[in-house]
Amino acid sequence: MNSELLFDSYAHLVKQRRTSMLVDRDRAVPASTIERLCDLSQWAPNHKRTWPMRFARCTGEGRARLGEAFVADMIGNGVGDEGKRTKTKTKYLRAPSILVVGCAPPVSMNLAADDRDAVAAGVQTLLLGATALGLASFWSTAPVQTPATVNALCDFPDGTRVVGIVYLGWPIDTVETPIRPPAQIVHIE
């Protein structure tokens, strides 16, 4: 395959990726599909090869347990009001599969930003893979970044930072493509 055609195919995939919660809540995403996506994310850049990515797949009642764990962490950290906590308790039921993506505690503080960036790059790689497989996805921020109760539920090491909550499901509708501004580039010659 020539490089222009390969680039055009990749650009098409990137532009097709949509943040969407318009999913069939009853149609499961197979565990093997989630495993393939998590394995794919390991190919994202990781400067010092620390492999900080941690994953926990929540399905069925596990999604409700995740919501309850986040609410416990919100209360313990004084985050959010009662309305936000009530919403958090049930919001993970909006998709059949929820993937908690964590960043293991850094080996040294000098690597903390590098490790988090590696995990974020891994999430984007995972999202593109999900798009290639025909899945809808949504990357959400955790209500508490270092949630002790959620870390225990997910069997993550103490001090793991939750970089994202990824909702995955089979789409039932499409969403409009938002217009993107052109890249701002400074040319230095």
Side-chain angles (χ1 to χ4, degrees), residues 23-24 51 61 74 77 96 107-108 119 140 151 158 164 181 185:
V23 298
D24 183 344
W51 315 119
E61 289 302 310
M74 291 171 76
N77 288 280
V107 180
S108 75
V119 173
S140 177
N151 282 343
D158 288 341
I185 304 169

Side-chain angles (χ1 to χ4, degrees), residues 1-43:
M1 182 179 272
N2 79 36
S3 58
E4 279 298 317
L5 184 57
L6 186 59
F7 178 82
D8 290 344
S9 295
Y10 178 71
H12 179 74
L13 174 68
V14 169
K15 292 174 183 177
Q16 292 298 96
R17 197 195 81 64
R18 291 287 151 271
T19 295
S20 172
M21 294 296 297
L22 303 173
V23 298
D24 183 344
R25 295 179 185 194
D26 299 320
R27 184 177 172 199
V29 177
S32 61
T33 299
I34 303 289
E35 289 167 10
R36 288 176 66 198
L37 293 171
C38 292
D39 285 342
L40 185 64
S41 75
Q42 295 291 84
W43 288 92

Side-chain angles (χ1 to χ4, degrees), residues 17-137:
R17 197 195 81 64
R18 291 287 151 271
T19 295
S20 172
M21 294 296 297
L22 303 173
V23 298
D24 183 344
R25 295 179 185 194
D26 299 320
R27 184 177 172 199
V29 177
S32 61
T33 299
I34 303 289
E35 289 167 10
R36 288 176 66 198
L37 293 171
C38 292
D39 285 342
L40 185 64
S41 75
Q42 295 291 84
W43 288 92
N46 183 218
H47 179 60
K48 294 292 185 181
R49 297 182 185 177
T50 56
W51 315 119
M53 294 167 212
R54 300 295 180 266
F55 303 100
R57 175 180 157 262
C58 300
T59 59
E61 289 302 310
R63 298 169 302 156
R65 290 176 55 207
L66 178 64
E68 292 165 6
F70 266 125
V71 168
D73 285 324
M74 291 171 76
I75 292 168
N77 288 280
V79 173
D81 59 18
E82 193 58 36
K84 181 146 177 86
R85 293 173 188 159
T86 299
K87 181 179 177 184
T88 298
K89 190 176 264 190
T90 60
K91 72 181 187 175
Y92 304 113
L93 301 174
R94 296 184 291 182
S97 292
I98 303 295
L99 191 61
V100 181
V101 184
C103 179
V107 180
S108 75
M109 288 318 293
N110 289 338
L111 294 177
D114 285 350
D115 283 354
R116 191 196 184 288
D117 291 348
V119 173
V123 171
Q124 175 64 359
T125 301
L126 183 147
L127 294 173
L128 290 172
T131 300
L133 291 172
L135 289 165
S137 61

